[in-house]
Amino acid sequence: MDFTSDSAGFRHRKLQSKGRMKNTAPDVSDPNQLFDDTSSGPARHRTQEMSRIGYPAQGLLSEPVSNFAMAYGSSLADHGKEMVDKNLARFIPISKLKYYFAVDTIYVAKKLGLLVFPYMHQNWEVSYQQDTPVAPRFDINAPDLYIPAMAFITYILVAGLAFGTQDRFSPEILGMQASSALVWLVIEVLAMLLSLYLLTVNTDLTTIDLIAFSGYKYVGMIVGVLAGLVFGRIGYYLMLLWCCISIFVFMIRTLRLKILSEAAAEGVLVRGAKNQLRMYLTMAIAAAQPIFMYWLTFHLIR
């Protein structure tokens, strides 16, 4: 018997069995593993194929949709803004309001000085450029809404200060003070509009102009209340009297060019009752300012 060839054949079969054992994964599972690992199987291969095929297609579809949605949203927002501006302009003249707030620091300082001391001012006519009035910052005689608005807010704050120094402050009483002042302002402007309509006065005064002229009295009211808080009732009455006379002179010299403009243009031909009524209306509007100034401030000083 050839033992050499037998031993060689045995070694060859043993090497082949070891090779088959290396190529075959043992069926030994990890006791801590809940599921079988199939990442190297055909399922992972199919997932990779789907990702290579599906994701680029999804990106190509989602990009035009998102661009269309952004464009549609932008156009919808622009359309809504246009509708709001159009409807708002029917009730509030935004372009005109910009004119009344076209002020600067120099104009505000000069106008405040004119309201408190109007006696030395000579030229009260509003300047025009190409049939339109120039902006208030270029003409001290032009009406504005910045000073009336800031003066109204400051008046409410000063009223709160007065109530606080007298231990009478509460949010309710401060709200009533602001509401009362606003209601009286509306009543005053409506009364002036009705008077101008009944007298058929041909003037370039607008509702905003009347609001501006009526709001200038809050400057004198603030000065009077502050003087009362510092110097007592005597200081209040003295400063309020000075400011009342100043606003009366200011309103007379300003409104006579507006209300009596038609009569001044026609000269000596207008000498009747209609012209006298216009003069009385001008004086009545000017005289109403001190009355409101006292009515809205006398209870703030004790």
Side-chain angles (χ1 to χ4, degrees), residues 116 220 223-224 227 231 234-244:
V116 179
V223 175
F231 302 105
I234 296 178
Y236 162 74
Y237 283 117
L238 290 178
M239 290 304 301
L240 186 67
L241 178 62
W242 176 271
C243 293
C244 287

Side-chain angles (χ1 to χ4, degrees), residues 66-76:
S66 61
N67 292 336
F68 175 77
M70 291 177 61
Y72 180 75
S74 178
S75 63
L76 187 62

Side-chain angles (χ1 to χ4, degrees), residues 5-293:
S5 60
D6 292 338
S7 60
F10 177 76
R11 285 195 302 270
H12 179 69
R13 287 192 299 272
K14 187 176 182 180
L15 289 176
Q16 285 181 350
S17 62
K18 287 183 178 180
R20 286 194 297 270
M21 291 176 65
K22 286 182 180 181
N23 294 330
T24 304
D27 190 11
V28 178
S29 60
D30 189 358
N32 296 324
Q33 185 176 354
L34 298 178
F35 303 100
D36 295 337
D37 186 10
T38 58
S39 60
S40 60
R44 183 179 181 183
H45 179 71
R46 287 195 298 270
T47 304
Q48 293 178 352
E49 291 294 332
M50 290 174 64
S51 64
R52 287 195 298 267
I53 298 175
Y55 286 169
Q58 184 178 2
L60 293 175
L61 291 175
S62 61
E63 185 175 355
V65 173
S66 61
N67 292 336
F68 175 77
M70 291 177 61
Y72 180 75
S74 178
S75 63
L76 187 62
D78 294 339
H79 182 68
K81 181 177 180 299
E82 182 181 356
M83 291 294 295
V84 170
D85 294 341
K86 182 179 179 180
N87 294 327
L88 187 63
R90 294 169 55 187
F91 302 99
I92 302 176
I94 303 298
S95 59
K96 292 184 179 180
L97 287 179
K98 292 180 180 179
Y99 164 81
Y100 288 96
F101 283 95
V103 300
D104 55 10
T105 306
I106 298 176
Y107 168 83
V108 172
K110 289 183 178 180
K111 196 59 172 278
L112 291 176
L114 182 62
L115 292 172
V116 179
F117 196 82
Y119 311 103
M120 303 302 294
H121 192 63
Q122 299 296 328
N123 184 17
W124 292 85
E125 295 183 358
V126 178
S127 301
Y128 283 81
Q129 184 178 7
Q130 297 180 355
D131 297 333
T132 58
V134 298
R137 64 174 177 268
F138 301 119
D139 185 13
I140 193 176
N141 296 323
D144 71 283
L145 285 178
Y146 178 81
I147 293 178
M150 294 297 103
F152 181 84
I153 297 174
T154 307
Y155 160 71
I156 301 301
L157 296 177
V158 171
L161 177 62
F163 287 135
T165 56
Q166 300 166 11
D167 295 331
R168 294 189 297 156
F169 178 81
S170 66
E172 292 78 12
I173 194 173
L174 189 63
M176 291 179 60
Q177 186 72 23
S179 302
S180 176
L182 185 60
V183 168
W184 280 114
L185 178 64
V186 173
I187 293 175
E188 181 185 0
V189 173
L190 292 177
M192 288 190 290
L193 288 173
L194 180 61
S195 301
L196 293 173
Y197 174 76
L198 293 177
L199 295 179
T200 62
V201 178
N202 186 14
T203 178
D204 58 351
L205 280 174
T206 63
T207 305
I208 302 179
D209 292 334
L210 297 178
I211 295 174
F213 289 130
S214 300
Y216 286 139
K217 63 176 173 288
Y218 292 109
V219 176
M221 293 163 58
I222 295 169
V223 175
V225 174
L226 290 178
L229 293 177
V230 177
F231 302 105
R233 296 187 68 87
I234 296 178
Y236 162 74
Y237 283 117
L238 290 178
M239 290 304 301
L240 186 67
L241 178 62
W242 176 271
C243 293
C244 287
I245 297 174
S246 299
I247 197 65
F248 179 81
V249 174
F250 173 83
M251 295 293 285
I252 286 289
R253 294 185 177 180
T254 302
L255 293 180
R256 67 182 180 87
L257 298 176
K258 300 290 186 179
I259 298 178
L260 301 176
S261 58
E262 182 182 3
E266 296 180 8
V268 296
L269 297 178
V270 180
R271 294 290 183 180
K274 188 176 181 179
N275 190 27
Q276 291 182 356
L277 289 176
R278 291 175 178 175
M279 293 178 61
Y280 293 151
L281 177 60
T282 303
M283 296 183 65
I285 295 175
Q289 306 307 309
I291 297 175
F292 283 114
M293 292 171 66

